[in-house]
Amino acid sequence: MDLQRLLIDRMENRILVGLTMVLASMVLVGWVAINESGRMASFQQQHLARSIEKGAELFSSSCATCHGNSGEGSARAPGLNNPQLFGHDYLAPLDTQIAAVETRIARFETLTATMVDEEARSQLSEEEFAVVQADLAAIIERYGEDPLTSLNGELVTLVTNRANLILQMQSAIDRGYDPEDPSRMNNVGWGSTLEPFVLTTLVSGRPVSTNYWPEPMASWSQTGGGPLREDQLLDLTNYVLNWGHERNWTLEDLLRVQQFAKEPVEGAVQLVENPVATEIIDIQFADVSGRRDEIDEVVARALGEIAELTGDPNNGQSLYNGSLACSACHNLATVAPPTEGTFTRVEDTRLADPNLAAYSAEHYIVESILAPNAYVVEGYPANNMPQNFGERLDAQLLADLLAYLSSQDGEDPLAN
Ligand code: HEC
Ligand code: HEC
């Protein structure tokens, strides 16, 4: 009896001890996990901070002569520490308010018109009429007995503030800034984010910028004959992007910029402008969800048109390396799948994916260009390849690109 009690006691104890251990280890694991993600984040932050520091040094030795010591720009190159490059729109908050007041005025006018028009009123159901009355009451409560006068007064104030804000930007405007069209990315039709834009510029340079700048922006990449390694280009990119990181751009920031970007003069090839497309495909698929059928249809139509044409691989190559700047990303395997061996890779690796069972190599390549997010290559991020080539290409240019990529049928450096 005593022995049995003892045993049971022991058992209970064991269970208790066991449970405590389990709990303790859960707490420990949880604590480690929490700390681990904290450590990861702080490790990544330190890594980024070091990269930015290295970028800063490279910038003062290689870039400051043209872009200014603190990225303010000079007669030789545009400012990079620059709200225009980051697409900050100073007028946007006022524009939103103005649009809201305008909508309210229009709504008030429709409502009062309905109230005085017997015929219109008689066509409303009881519920609809109640909504009209409630809306009117709400506007009158907010703006008083004469809402139109108050609303128009508000509109005048906002429009005046907007005009004054533009006046304060005058010296920047004199240096080439356009407050109504404030985003460099939009101006050049870049369909991706700023990071690949900066990196692309560093890798491929802007050979044609000599048409509108005293000296061209050269390629800085060793792959393009320049002096800098890939990691150094990434450091520089991190440094430049850090100028806009969570920045509350002020008017002073704008006025400090000495030089804004210039639009290429006529005759110069733009970096990302539509080259000579005649009938552009005019579609983009940044958001691909639920659009499978539409993508298939557009790609099938493009393939049908391409089949009637002869692609020129030489033109394809110059588009790829020149005005479309595909090579800027595709020459660095860390940024995008390398150009070399593309066709081999598509045939041997991509088409082996069961999801692509029904694809031909041409189908895959055309879809990759028109709807890059439809099939994102493993190991690379979605959204980095510009999504708007469909708005810049026609069937002939696509045929040329396809002819060039079809010639990349040597060994695939990614194959192991
Ligand atoms: C010889 C002068 C010169 C030097 C040195 C130079 N750049 Fe440039 N850079 C330019 C010019 C000119 C442009 C404008 C090209 C254009 O508009 O097409 C430019 C454009 C750029 C742009 C794109 C800006 C935009 O709005 O399109 C970036 C980013 C850039 N440079 C970064 C750098 C970095 C980083 C360095 C140092 C490694 C550097 N540049 C060195 C002349 C220079
Ligand atoms: C800003 C960088 C960037 C530019 C510019 C760019 N691409 Fe890409 N591209 C990528 C990335 C990243 C991927 C892989 C991720 C994905 O599938 O979208 C990719 C994937 C591809 C693929 C699939 C390759 C494979 O191995 O499966 C093709 C083909 C392609 N791009 C063609 C082009 C062409 C043609 C152009 C120019 C008209 C171009 N890209 C411009 C970044 C870029």
Side-chain angles (χ1 to χ4, degrees), residues 59 62-63 65-67 76-78 80 85 184 197-198 201-202 206 209 212-213 215-217 220 228 236 240 261-262:
F59 192 88
S62 302
C63 323
T65 44
C66 290
H67 288 286
R76 300 171 71 190
L80 304 174
L85 182 64
R184 176 72 170 147
F197 181 83
V198 171
T201 305
L202 288 172
R206 301 271 178 82
S209 56
Y212 45 105
W213 289 98
E215 290 158 79
M217 168 78 186
W220 290 90
L228 300 180
L236 275 165
V240 170
K262 293 185 197 175

Side-chain angles (χ1 to χ4, degrees), residues 185-246:
M185 297 293 100
N186 282 350
N187 281 334
V188 295
W190 184 250
S192 183
T193 53
L194 185 56
E195 191 176 357
F197 181 83
V198 171
L199 189 59
T200 298
T201 305
L202 288 172
V203 171
S204 55
R206 301 271 178 82
V208 293
S209 56
T210 182
N211 288 330
Y212 45 105
W213 289 98
E215 290 158 79
M217 168 78 186
S219 162
W220 290 90
S221 151
Q222 290 176 349
T223 57
L228 300 180
R229 293 188 313 265
E230 199 176 307
D231 58 300
Q232 295 176 308
L233 300 181
L234 290 170
D235 292 341
L236 275 165
T237 304
N238 285 334
Y239 177 63
V240 170
L241 285 172
N242 192 49
W243 273 319
H245 182 67
E246 289 179 6

Side-chain angles (χ1 to χ4, degrees), residues 190 192-193 196-197 200 319-320 324-330 335-338 341-342 345-346 350 364-366 368-369 371-387 389 392-393 401 405 414:
W190 184 250
S192 183
T193 53
F197 181 83
T200 298
L319 291 168
Y320 193 91
L324 294 175
C326 315
S327 61
C329 293
H330 285 281
V335 176
T342 292
R345 182 180 330 118
V346 170
R350 305 291 179 243
Y364 175 80
I365 291 174
V366 169
S368 295
I369 298 171
N373 280 347
Y375 179 91
V376 178
V377 174
E378 206 190 316
Y380 292 97
N383 285 320
N384 253 25
M385 174 147 161
Q387 310 292 315
F389 284 121
R392 284 144 58 189
L393 297 171
L401 282 171
L405 286 177
L414 291 189

Side-chain angles (χ1 to χ4, degrees), residues 91-111:
L91 300 176
L94 281 169
D95 284 340
T96 310
Q97 292 179 48
I98 289 171
V101 173
E102 280 171 344
T103 311
R104 221 162 278 146
I105 291 176
R107 178 82 183 131
F108 180 73
E109 283 173 341
T110 328
L111 290 173

Side-chain angles (χ1 to χ4, degrees), residues 281-328:
I281 294 153
D282 201 13
I283 188 107
Q284 65 160 296
F285 290 111
D287 179 9
V288 292
S289 64
R291 301 181 73 184
R292 188 68 256 175
D293 290 348
E294 208 186 328
I295 294 171
D296 286 344
E297 194 193 311
V298 167
V299 172
R301 186 155 25 94
L303 283 168
E305 285 176 36
I306 289 170
E308 308 281 307
L309 301 164
T310 310
D312 173 357
N314 289 326
N315 193 44
Q317 180 173 22
S318 60
L319 291 168
Y320 193 91
N321 294 327
S323 51
L324 294 175
C326 315
S327 61

